[in-house]
């Protein structure tokens, strides 16, 4: 169990009243139930636990290192993480942990572990059970998941959907991998098969990527400014509906120059909460396609961003990046 911080282990600062992370040993003391689990649990903590709003790619690299160093010695891994950016971390890890064939389950809570009404205990205990669920020699969930409020979701399909409900996460385009009720029920046909290759970690992530939401007040000046950011490698365009954007000449010309003159990758995903892009449907999507935008299908923003960070880190040819981006490599998109 790896503790990174988040509400789960926070306490109220006496002076300000704000929630701040506290150290891990005090968190463990709050869950005597852990002694009752018939698994041997070792724990490791970030030296300085963080509110997950402070997460950075270097933290993902640290998590990947911890998992790699301990990979052969454990049946599975549980990462305690703040909910704000859990979907980004889960998505990033799903790509970085190549040929993963053990469970890596992220969880956290909406109320601190010390709160009488906390949701933390059930989340932690069931996550540990999922991470340790095997069918003989085979782990039942050989992939990165998020367990929260009775549901196990595929990590790279997940978004934080509520800031107030215990049921904080949603996987808008993929059904849950497991449901916890009286029984812990796994939906095996939705879970990835373990890959054949040897486990490997790819830590090289390219960070010069922008997420740009298209909106009616987007101006030429603003777009020109963005595309001229030095060293920019990719722009994830959150487009309207099924992958549509304005067809005004200044808009199309600027984006065209991004691809042809600057060699920046343009990715098309929808800003809708559910569903996929189908840019061929409307003229407004076809113009984007003609520019050479990558088809993000039904990927979440979190998955599209971290997948590009990962693929660009591989230093592939432009064509290879596009073809890898447009097909599912960890179950992150529907084709
Ligand atoms: N701000 C907190 C965090 O993401 C929220 C949470 O843990 O739920 O670290």
């Amino acid at each position: 169990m790896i503790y990174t911080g988040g509400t789960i282990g926070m306490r109220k600062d006496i002076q300000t009243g704000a929630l701040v992370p506290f150290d891990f040993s005090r968190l463990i003391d709050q869950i005597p139930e852990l002694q009752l689990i018939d698994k041997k649990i070792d724990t490791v903590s970030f030296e300085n636990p963080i509110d997950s709003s402070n997460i950075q790619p270097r933290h993902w690299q640290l998590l990947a290192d911890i998992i790699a160093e301990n990979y052969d010695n454990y049946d599975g891994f549980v990462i305690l993480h703040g909910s704000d950016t859990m979907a980004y971390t889960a998505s990033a890890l799903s790509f970085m942990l190549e040929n993963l064939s053990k469970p890596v389950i992220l969880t956290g809570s909406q109320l601190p572990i010390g709160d009488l009404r906390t949701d933390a205990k059930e989340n932690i205990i069931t996550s540990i059970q999922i991470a340790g669920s095997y069918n003989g020699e085979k782990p039942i969930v050989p992939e990165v998941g998020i367990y929260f409020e009775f549901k196990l979701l595929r990590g790279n399909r997940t978004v934080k959907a509520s800031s107030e409900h215990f049921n904080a996460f949603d996987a808008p385009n993929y059904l849950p991998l497991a449901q916890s009720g009286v029984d812990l029920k796994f939906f095996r046909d939705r879970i990835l098969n373990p890959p054949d290759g040897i486990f490997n970690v790819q830590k090289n992530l390219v960070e010069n990527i922008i997420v740009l939401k298209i909106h009616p007040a987007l101006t030429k000046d603003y777009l020109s400014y963005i595309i001229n950011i030095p060293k920019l490698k990719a722009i994830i365009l959150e487009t309207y509906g099924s992958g549509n954007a304005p067809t005004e000449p200044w808009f199309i010309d600027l984006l065209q120059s991004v691809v042809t003159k600057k060699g920046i990758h343009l990715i098309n995903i929808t800003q809708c909460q559910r569903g996929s892009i189908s840019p061929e449907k409307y003229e407004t999507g076809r113009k984007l396609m003609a520019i050479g935008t990558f088809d993000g299908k039904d990927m979440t923003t979190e998955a599209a961003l971290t997948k590009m960070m990962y693929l660009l880190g591989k230093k592939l040819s432009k064509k290879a990046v596009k073809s890898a981006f447009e097909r599912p490599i960890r179950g992150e998109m529907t084709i």
Side-chain angles (χ1 to χ4, degrees):
M1 183 152 74
I2 309 167
Y3 176 55
T4 68
T7 298
I8 199 160
M10 289 192 185
R11 59 167 174 78
K12 273 218 167 94
D13 184 279
I14 304 165
Q15 265 143 33
T16 64
L19 286 171
V20 290
F22 65 67
D23 74 78
F24 192 48
S25 51
R26 289 175 52 194
L27 187 145
I28 290 288
D29 292 346
Q30 305 265 356
I31 329 172
E33 293 89 342
L34 289 180
Q35 316 284 341
L36 302 174
I37 298 181
D38 62 344
K39 308 252 180 280
K40 181 175 175 297
I41 305 162
D42 289 334
T43 55
V44 49
S45 169
F46 275 12
E47 204 173 331
N48 298 308
I50 54 168
D51 183 302
S52 79
S53 302
N54 284 318
I55 205 93
Q56 289 173 17
R58 69 183 165 84
H59 296 106
W60 299 338
Q61 287 153 347
L62 179 59
L63 284 170
D65 274 340
I66 295 172
I67 291 170
E69 277 161 27
N70 294 286
Y71 192 74
D72 292 334
N73 301 329
Y74 292 90
D75 290 334
F77 300 85
V78 171
I79 301 176
L80 304 182
H81 194 289
S83 63
D84 287 348
T85 58
M86 194 182 290
Y88 287 92
T89 299
S91 299
L93 288 177
S94 77
F95 299 116
M96 295 166 76
L97 304 176
E98 297 177 333
N99 294 318
L100 177 72
S101 57
K102 292 193 174 181
V104 173
I105 310 300
L106 288 96
T107 195
S109 65
Q110 294 279 62
L111 284 176
I113 190 97
D115 192 293
L116 206 53
R117 293 178 54 249
T118 189
D119 50 331
K121 287 190 183 184
E122 199 283 323
N123 284 348
I124 295 189
I125 290 167
T126 307
S127 294
I128 292 171
Q129 280 175 339
I130 292 170
S133 286
Y134 271 62
N135 193 359
E137 296 281 287
K138 289 202 172 117
I140 296 181
V141 186
E143 56 172 295
V144 179
I146 288 185
Y147 180 77
F148 223 89
E149 190 66 1
F150 308 118
K151 277 183 310 195
L152 176 70
L153 304 172
R154 174 166 298 152
N156 57 31
R157 290 290 199 153
T158 305
V159 293
K160 184 168 180 186
S162 174
S163 59
E164 56 184 359
H165 295 138
F166 285 143
N167 187 4
F169 288 93
D170 193 13
N173 296 317
Y174 201 73
L175 291 166
L177 307 182
Q179 188 81 42
S180 169
V182 175
D183 297 313
L184 182 54
K185 196 166 171 194
F186 292 99
F187 304 105
R188 299 195 190 204
D189 53 331
R190 300 176 194 162
I191 299 173
L192 292 175
N193 289 322
D196 292 331
I198 294 172
F199 176 71
N200 177 53
V201 168
Q202 193 218 284
K203 288 198 299 177
N204 198 16
L205 300 172
V206 166
E207 294 176 25
N208 312 47
I209 302 176
I210 276 191
V211 176
L212 178 64
K213 183 169 186 160
I214 307 289
H215 58 82
L218 187 69
T219 61
K220 187 175 177 185
D221 282 352
Y222 181 70
L223 188 60
S224 310
Y225 182 80
I226 300 266
I227 66 175
N228 283 308
I229 289 174
K231 299 196 190 133
L232 189 61
K233 295 283 186 296
I235 303 176
I236 317 267
L237 288 174
E238 283 189 356
T239 57
Y240 300 130
S242 56
N244 307 314
T247 48
E248 283 185 58
W250 67 263
F251 182 81
I252 297 296
D253 290 349
L254 277 180
L255 290 186
Q256 181 83 65
S257 72
V258 163
V259 177
T260 48
K261 297 205 190 105
K262 293 176 177 286
I264 293 172
H265 304 281
L266 274 185
I267 289 93
N268 188 353
I269 57 170
T270 178
Q271 55 185 257
C272 289
Q273 281 159 18
R274 224 166 273 282
S276 175
I277 65 159
S278 328
E280 68 292 341
K281 223 169 167 179
Y282 297 92
E283 176 69 5
T284 43
R286 286 187 182 217
K287 289 240 161 146
L288 280 186
M289 266 172 89
I291 292 173
T293 47
F294 294 11
D295 184 344
K297 302 200 169 58
D298 62 351
M299 254 191 280
T300 61
T301 302
E302 291 84 337
L305 172 70
T306 55
K307 187 174 182 182
M308 274 313 281
M309 293 174 77
Y310 163 81
L311 289 177
L312 291 176
K314 283 189 171 297
K315 302 200 169 61
L316 305 167
S317 69
K318 206 171 170 183
K319 217 170 134 200
V321 173
K322 187 170 193 297
S323 103
F325 187 84
E326 292 184 336
R327 68 185 157 82
I329 55 175
R330 308 281 191 272
E332 72 283 7
M333 58 161 57
T334 313
I335 46 164

PDB file of all heavy atoms in Angstrom, residues 5-8 10 50-53 81-85 108-110 148 160, ligand 1:
ATOM      1  N   GLY A   5      -0.999  10.793  -0.100  1.00  0.00           N
ATOM      2  CA  GLY A   5      -1.645  11.969   0.518  1.00  0.00           C
ATOM      3  C   GLY A   5      -3.127  11.963   0.195  1.00  0.00           C
ATOM      4  O   GLY A   5      -3.721  10.910   0.010  1.00  0.00           O
ATOM      5  N   GLY A   6      -3.719  13.133   0.100  1.00  0.00           N
ATOM      6  CA  GLY A   6      -5.157  13.235  -0.202  1.00  0.00           C
ATOM      7  C   GLY A   6      -5.997  13.327   1.060  1.00  0.00           C
ATOM      8  O   GLY A   6      -5.509  13.107   2.178  1.00  0.00           O
ATOM      9  N   THR A   7      -7.264  13.635   0.874  1.00  0.00           N
ATOM     10  CA  THR A   7      -8.194  13.829   1.995  1.00  0.00           C
ATOM     11  C   THR A   7      -8.182  12.667   2.971  1.00  0.00           C
ATOM     12  O   THR A   7      -8.312  12.845   4.187  1.00  0.00           O
ATOM     13  CB  THR A   7      -9.634  13.985   1.451  1.00  0.00           C
ATOM     14  OG1 THR A   7      -9.675  15.129   0.632  1.00  0.00           O
ATOM     15  CG2 THR A   7     -10.651  14.142   2.561  1.00  0.00           C
ATOM     16  N   ILE A   8      -8.029  11.458   2.417  1.00  0.00           N
ATOM     17  CA  ILE A   8      -8.074  10.256   3.243  1.00  0.00           C
ATOM     18  C   ILE A   8      -7.198  10.384   4.492  1.00  0.00           C
ATOM     19  O   ILE A   8      -7.570   9.970   5.578  1.00  0.00           O
ATOM     20  CB  ILE A   8      -7.685   9.027   2.378  1.00  0.00           C
ATOM     21  CG1 ILE A   8      -8.141   7.748   3.016  1.00  0.00           C
ATOM     22  CG2 ILE A   8      -6.202   8.979   2.049  1.00  0.00           C
ATOM     23  CD1 ILE A   8      -8.229   6.587   2.035  1.00  0.00           C
ATOM     24  N   MET A  10      -6.014  13.329   5.806  1.00  0.00           N
ATOM     25  CA  MET A  10      -5.871  14.735   6.223  1.00  0.00           C
ATOM     26  C   MET A  10      -6.475  14.989   7.607  1.00  0.00           C
ATOM     27  O   MET A  10      -7.284  14.208   8.103  1.00  0.00           O
ATOM     28  CB  MET A  10      -6.511  15.664   5.193  1.00  0.00           C
ATOM     29  CG  MET A  10      -5.721  15.736   3.902  1.00  0.00           C
ATOM     30  SD  MET A  10      -6.286  17.068   2.830  1.00  0.00           S
ATOM     31  CE  MET A  10      -5.293  16.789   1.365  1.00  0.00           C
ATOM     32  N   ILE A  50       1.023  14.674  -0.203  1.00  0.00           N
ATOM     33  CA  ILE A  50       0.525  15.888  -0.870  1.00  0.00           C
ATOM     34  C   ILE A  50      -0.997  15.874  -1.027  1.00  0.00           C
ATOM     35  O   ILE A  50      -1.617  14.821  -1.065  1.00  0.00           O
ATOM     36  CB  ILE A  50       1.141  16.040  -2.288  1.00  0.00           C
ATOM     37  CG1 ILE A  50       0.915  14.769  -3.124  1.00  0.00           C
ATOM     38  CG2 ILE A  50       2.608  16.399  -2.224  1.00  0.00           C
ATOM     39  CD1 ILE A  50       1.238  14.947  -4.599  1.00  0.00           C
ATOM     40  N   ASP A  51      -1.534  17.067  -1.118  1.00  0.00           N
ATOM     41  CA  ASP A  51      -2.880  17.211  -1.668  1.00  0.00           C
ATOM     42  C   ASP A  51      -2.685  16.922  -3.161  1.00  0.00           C
ATOM     43  O   ASP A  51      -1.771  17.453  -3.791  1.00  0.00           O
ATOM     44  CB  ASP A  51      -3.360  18.654  -1.458  1.00  0.00           C
ATOM     45  CG  ASP A  51      -4.792  18.864  -1.934  1.00  0.00           C
ATOM     46  OD1 ASP A  51      -5.071  18.624  -3.132  1.00  0.00           O
ATOM     47  OD2 ASP A  51      -5.615  19.305  -1.129  1.00  0.00           O
ATOM     48  N   SER A  52      -3.533  16.089  -3.739  1.00  0.00           N
ATOM     49  CA  SER A  52      -3.253  15.635  -5.105  1.00  0.00           C
ATOM     50  C   SER A  52      -3.344  16.748  -6.138  1.00  0.00           C
ATOM     51  O   SER A  52      -2.967  16.556  -7.290  1.00  0.00           O
ATOM     52  CB  SER A  52      -4.150  14.460  -5.482  1.00  0.00           C
ATOM     53  OG  SER A  52      -5.436  14.910  -5.828  1.00  0.00           O
ATOM     54  N   SER A  53      -3.812  17.922  -5.741  1.00  0.00           N
ATOM     55  CA  SER A  53      -3.772  19.052  -6.675  1.00  0.00           C
ATOM     56  C   SER A  53      -2.327  19.448  -6.969  1.00  0.00           C
ATOM     57  O   SER A  53      -2.058  20.169  -7.932  1.00  0.00           O
ATOM     58  CB  SER A  53      -4.530  20.248  -6.106  1.00  0.00           C
ATOM     59  OG  SER A  53      -5.848  19.866  -5.852  1.00  0.00           O
ATOM     60  N   HIS A  81      -4.593   7.995  -2.639  1.00  0.00           N
ATOM     61  CA  HIS A  81      -4.336   9.187  -3.464  1.00  0.00           C
ATOM     62  C   HIS A  81      -5.504  10.142  -3.304  1.00  0.00           C
ATOM     63  O   HIS A  81      -6.652   9.716  -3.142  1.00  0.00           O
ATOM     64  CB  HIS A  81      -4.255   8.701  -4.922  1.00  0.00           C
ATOM     65  CG  HIS A  81      -3.693   9.667  -5.921  1.00  0.00           C
ATOM     66  ND1 HIS A  81      -4.360  10.797  -6.331  1.00  0.00           N
ATOM     67  CD2 HIS A  81      -2.522   9.652  -6.607  1.00  0.00           C
ATOM     68  CE1 HIS A  81      -3.623  11.433  -7.236  1.00  0.00           C
ATOM     69  NE2 HIS A  81      -2.506  10.762  -7.422  1.00  0.00           N
ATOM     70  N   GLY A  82      -5.259  11.441  -3.388  1.00  0.00           N
ATOM     71  CA  GLY A  82      -6.351  12.402  -3.374  1.00  0.00           C
ATOM     72  C   GLY A  82      -7.252  12.195  -4.582  1.00  0.00           C
ATOM     73  O   GLY A  82      -6.794  11.760  -5.642  1.00  0.00           O
ATOM     74  N   SER A  83      -8.517  12.507  -4.405  1.00  0.00           N
ATOM     75  CA  SER A  83      -9.448  12.218  -5.499  1.00  0.00           C
ATOM     76  C   SER A  83      -9.369  13.243  -6.635  1.00  0.00           C
ATOM     77  O   SER A  83      -9.733  12.939  -7.765  1.00  0.00           O
ATOM     78  CB  SER A  83     -10.876  12.122  -4.957  1.00  0.00           C
ATOM     79  OG  SER A  83     -11.262  13.361  -4.408  1.00  0.00           O
ATOM     80  N   ASP A  84      -8.869  14.452  -6.320  1.00  0.00           N
ATOM     81  CA  ASP A  84      -8.910  15.511  -7.347  1.00  0.00           C
ATOM     82  C   ASP A  84      -8.217  15.107  -8.645  1.00  0.00           C
ATOM     83  O   ASP A  84      -8.706  15.394  -9.731  1.00  0.00           O
ATOM     84  CB  ASP A  84      -8.262  16.803  -6.816  1.00  0.00           C
ATOM     85  CG  ASP A  84      -9.141  17.505  -5.788  1.00  0.00           C
ATOM     86  OD1 ASP A  84     -10.320  17.130  -5.657  1.00  0.00           O
ATOM     87  OD2 ASP A  84      -8.642  18.425  -5.113  1.00  0.00           O
ATOM     88  N   THR A  85      -7.071  14.487  -8.544  1.00  0.00           N
ATOM     89  CA  THR A  85      -6.302  14.156  -9.759  1.00  0.00           C
ATOM     90  C   THR A  85      -6.091  12.650  -9.906  1.00  0.00           C
ATOM     91  O   THR A  85      -5.222  12.217 -10.665  1.00  0.00           O
ATOM     92  CB  THR A  85      -4.928  14.860  -9.750  1.00  0.00           C
ATOM     93  OG1 THR A  85      -4.230  14.447  -8.563  1.00  0.00           O
ATOM     94  CG2 THR A  85      -5.056  16.359  -9.773  1.00  0.00           C
ATOM     95  N   GLY A 108      -9.138   6.485  -2.419  1.00  0.00           N
ATOM     96  CA  GLY A 108      -8.989   7.646  -1.534  1.00  0.00           C
ATOM     97  C   GLY A 108     -10.314   7.811  -0.831  1.00  0.00           C
ATOM     98  O   GLY A 108     -11.035   6.828  -0.625  1.00  0.00           O
ATOM     99  N   SER A 109     -10.661   9.042  -0.485  1.00  0.00           N
ATOM    100  CA  SER A 109     -11.963   9.235   0.149  1.00  0.00           C
ATOM    101  C   SER A 109     -12.375  10.694   0.069  1.00  0.00           C
ATOM    102  O   SER A 109     -11.546  11.568  -0.170  1.00  0.00           O
ATOM    103  CB  SER A 109     -11.922   8.774   1.608  1.00  0.00           C
ATOM    104  OG  SER A 109     -11.044   9.607   2.337  1.00  0.00           O
ATOM    105  N   GLN A 110     -13.639  10.928   0.292  1.00  0.00           N
ATOM    106  CA  GLN A 110     -14.166  12.292   0.288  1.00  0.00           C
ATOM    107  C   GLN A 110     -14.102  12.911   1.685  1.00  0.00           C
ATOM    108  O   GLN A 110     -14.105  14.123   1.824  1.00  0.00           O
ATOM    109  CB  GLN A 110     -15.618  12.311  -0.205  1.00  0.00           C
ATOM    110  CG  GLN A 110     -15.808  11.909  -1.658  1.00  0.00           C
ATOM    111  CD  GLN A 110     -15.508  13.040  -2.631  1.00  0.00           C
ATOM    112  OE1 GLN A 110     -14.375  13.526  -2.680  1.00  0.00           O
ATOM    113  NE2 GLN A 110     -16.478  13.451  -3.415  1.00  0.00           N
ATOM    114  N   PHE A 148     -13.809   3.148  -5.740  1.00  0.00           N
ATOM    115  CA  PHE A 148     -14.409   4.233  -4.960  1.00  0.00           C
ATOM    116  C   PHE A 148     -15.891   3.951  -4.826  1.00  0.00           C
ATOM    117  O   PHE A 148     -16.582   3.692  -5.824  1.00  0.00           O
ATOM    118  CB  PHE A 148     -14.222   5.567  -5.725  1.00  0.00           C
ATOM    119  CG  PHE A 148     -13.808   6.711  -4.841  1.00  0.00           C
ATOM    120  CD1 PHE A 148     -12.464   6.970  -4.593  1.00  0.00           C
ATOM    121  CD2 PHE A 148     -14.762   7.545  -4.274  1.00  0.00           C
ATOM    122  CE1 PHE A 148     -12.083   8.036  -3.795  1.00  0.00           C
ATOM    123  CE2 PHE A 148     -14.380   8.611  -3.470  1.00  0.00           C
ATOM    124  CZ  PHE A 148     -13.036   8.858  -3.238  1.00  0.00           C
ATOM    125  N   LYS A 160     -13.216  12.360 -12.439  1.00  0.00           N
ATOM    126  CA  LYS A 160     -13.847  12.761 -11.182  1.00  0.00           C
ATOM    127  C   LYS A 160     -15.127  13.503 -11.556  1.00  0.00           C
ATOM    128  O   LYS A 160     -15.090  14.504 -12.278  1.00  0.00           O
ATOM    129  CB  LYS A 160     -12.932  13.646 -10.339  1.00  0.00           C
ATOM    130  CG  LYS A 160     -13.572  13.984  -8.994  1.00  0.00           C
ATOM    131  CD  LYS A 160     -12.652  14.597  -7.981  1.00  0.00           C
ATOM    132  CE  LYS A 160     -13.420  14.871  -6.691  1.00  0.00           C
ATOM    133  NZ  LYS A 160     -12.650  15.587  -5.678  1.00  0.00           N
TER     134      LYS A 160
HETATM  135  N1  LIG B   1      -7.937  17.938  -2.450  1.00  0.00           N
HETATM  136  C1  LIG B   1      -7.964  16.535  -2.130  1.00  0.00           C
HETATM  137  C2  LIG B   1      -6.907  15.824  -2.953  1.00  0.00           C
HETATM  138  O1  LIG B   1      -7.133  15.565  -4.106  1.00  0.00           O
HETATM  139  C3  LIG B   1      -9.299  15.967  -2.382  1.00  0.00           C
HETATM  140  C4  LIG B   1      -9.421  14.491  -2.063  1.00  0.00           C
HETATM  141  O2  LIG B   1      -8.510  13.813  -1.670  1.00  0.00           O
HETATM  142  O3  LIG B   1     -10.518  13.960  -2.212  1.00  0.00           O
HETATM  143  O4  LIG B   1      -5.842  15.561  -2.469  1.00  0.00           O
END
